[in-house]
Amino acid sequence: MKLHTYYRSSASYRVRIALNLKGLAAEPAYVHLSKDGGQQFGAGFDAVNPQHLLPVLEDDGFVLTQSLAIIEYLDETRPGVPLLPADPRGRARVRALSQAIAADIHPINNLRVLKYLGGTLGIDEDRRNAWYRHWVSLGLEALERQLAASPETGTFCHGGAPTMADCCLVPQLFNARRFDCDLRRYPTLMAIDARCAQLAAFDAARPELQPDAD
Amino acid sequence: MKLHTYYRSSASYRVRIALNLKGLAAEPAYVHLSKDGGQQFGAGFDAVNPQHLLPVLEDDGFVLTQSLAIIEYLDETRPGVPLLPADPRGRARVRALSQAIAADIHPINNLRVLKYLGGTLGIDEDRRNAWYRHWVSLGLEALERQLAASPETGTFCHGGAPTMADCCLVPQLFNARRFDCDLRRYPTLMAIDARCAQLAAFDAARPELQPDAD
């Protein structure tokens, strides 16, 4: 397997955690999102993913985009600990928590969006940071309420073992810290984050530990 | 089952199609996204979904958010035509196509984002429309290339029967037309859209045919 990745890509970070949790290795193919005007726009990566987004998994000729699709694919095709619960309601809940991050927080704050705000729309850095914090706090506040209110929440987002939802939560909180978001308002999220940080699978996936970190 | 929905909500539209394809009925609970300052912010709906986003499915005490999680849940728990392929690679591809729309196009152009651009950032209507068309054309162009290049693409996004990916594509194209996006550049998407339009399941889910349309 080959994983097209960038150390600071939040969606790549999700997949790195998932690979580690399943005890899988993938050969990294580094795509630097700022160098050379953005290597994701180069001809090489354009042929792999015309979306110009990371991550991409290549598995024996099969080219797969989208971090959540990749995580579910790994879960369905590889042995090891499951990343989704066995029951349909549990699976649905984990998917919904994952999508609340991967669809409703992250894409609005992605690098390309911040660039459009700054470049095309001329929004200054202070207001770009306010934009970032607005969407993160909206999303995390709702997530905090959902997790705090549910008996299904355990030591992790769903029960007593990490799932795809934790693979999404930890990178989102990492990003939020980069932008100085105040995370003290989310005690449930922070407690889960702290438990994940104890696990080697999450620790080894951290952006600053990746070989392409600069 | 009860579906919290709004006729023009793109994510609700996806679930309406999925319910129709599976031959299922859900009692509608209408949430008007503009009336009363946005009924999604009212105490009633806040208790259902602190994200204040549609759709929400209630199924015998189980409250589920996120359109893609809902569609997969319906597919896993209800008989009828499958909305995802049986093989892991096919499922992964359908999920990736769905997420390319539901995560990478739609959330950036959602009502709440356009409101923030106009209100907090003072971006005028012309530039808001340009923003909309920018993200739609980026996303649809990549999707067109992915679908046109893949032997897995058939009469629909994946093979010869509609899947979750078509449930996402049709509402996204509906939205793109509302904002006068030029769709002639996407012949593969348009051909699939035209085939979907022939099916009663897609037709009956159209926003303008819903009882809450105004």
Side-chain angles (χ1 to χ4, degrees), chain A residues 125-200:
Chain A
E125 192 180 349
D126 279 354
R127 291 194 298 164
R128 288 202 306 276
N129 288 340
W131 163 284
Y132 191 99
R133 286 192 284 263
H134 173 76
W135 300 112
V136 164
S137 66
L138 254 190
L140 293 185
E141 189 184 314
L143 206 59
E144 170 71 25
R145 286 179 56 196
Q146 284 181 306
L147 286 171
S150 169
E152 305 292 339
T153 305
T155 28
F156 296 94
C157 285
H158 191 84
T163 63
M164 179 165 72
D166 303 287
C167 297
C168 294
L169 177 64
V170 167
Q172 184 58 63
L173 293 176
F174 172 88
N175 277 357
R177 284 190 194 94
R178 268 186 68 205
F179 281 80
D180 292 326
C181 299
D182 180 6
L183 298 180
R184 288 169 300 179
R185 291 153 58 203
Y186 319 118
T188 311
L189 305 184
M190 294 302 284
I192 293 169
D193 186 57
R195 279 177 218 117
C196 291
Q198 303 294 317
L199 301 181

Side-chain angles (χ1 to χ4, degrees), chain B:
Chain B
M1 283 194 296
K2 182 192 281 189
L3 182 70
H4 298 262
T5 178
Y6 176 57
Y7 74 107
R8 226 150 58 173
S9 147
S10 175
S12 302
Y13 187 0
R14 292 175 201 146
V15 173
R16 289 198 301 264
I17 298 168
L19 285 164
N20 292 346
L21 284 168
K22 304 226 35 119
L24 299 168
E27 178 200 344
Y30 298 115
V31 181
H32 199 295
L33 296 186
S34 307
K35 248 184 221 162
D36 312 326
Q39 294 177 347
Q40 71 274 31
F41 302 117
F45 189 70
D46 176 74
V48 174
N49 183 10
Q51 279 200 294
H52 307 146
L53 294 173
L54 291 172
V56 176
L57 185 80
E58 293 191 52
D59 181 29
D60 195 20
F62 180 57
V63 178
L64 182 58
T65 60
Q66 295 293 334
S67 61
L68 301 189
I70 291 171
I71 292 173
E72 292 223 36
Y73 173 75
L74 291 172
D75 208 37
E76 290 184 359
T77 59
R78 301 301 198 276
V81 295
L83 301 178
L84 280 95
D87 62 305
R89 288 190 175 191
R91 260 202 304 285
R93 182 173 178 269
V94 165
R95 285 182 183 130
L97 294 171
S98 303
Q99 290 161 16
I101 295 169
D104 290 325
I105 301 178
H106 179 63
I108 312 176
N109 287 334
N110 211 346
L111 183 62
R112 60 182 191 165
V113 172
L114 298 177
K115 276 190 175 165
Y116 189 102
L117 285 172
T120 309
L121 296 180
I123 303 297
D124 64 33
E125 192 179 350
D126 279 356
R127 290 193 298 164
R128 289 202 305 275
N129 288 341
W131 162 283
Y132 191 100
R133 286 192 284 264
H134 173 76
W135 300 112
V136 165
S137 67
L138 255 190
L140 293 185
E141 189 184 314
L143 205 60
E144 170 70 26
R145 286 179 55 196
Q146 284 181 304
L147 287 170
S150 168
E152 305 292 338
T153 305
T155 27
F156 296 94
C157 286
H158 191 84
T163 63
M164 179 164 73
D166 304 286
C167 296
C168 293
L169 177 64
V170 167
Q172 184 59 63
L173 294 176
F174 172 88
N175 277 357
R177 284 189 193 96
R178 269 186 69 205
F179 280 80
D180 292 326
C181 299
D182 180 7
L183 298 179
R184 288 168 301 180
R185 292 153 58 203
Y186 318 119
T188 310
L189 305 184
M190 295 300 284
I192 292 169
D193 186 57
R195 280 177 217 117
C196 291
Q198 303 295 316
L199 301 181
F202 284 82
D203 187 65
R206 282 191 291 138
E208 59 269 34
L209 297 184
Q210 306 314 304
D212 62 326
D214 56 14

Side-chain angles (χ1 to χ4, degrees), chain A residues 13 25 39 45 107 212:
Chain A
Y13 188 0
Q39 294 177 347
F45 188 70
D212 62 326

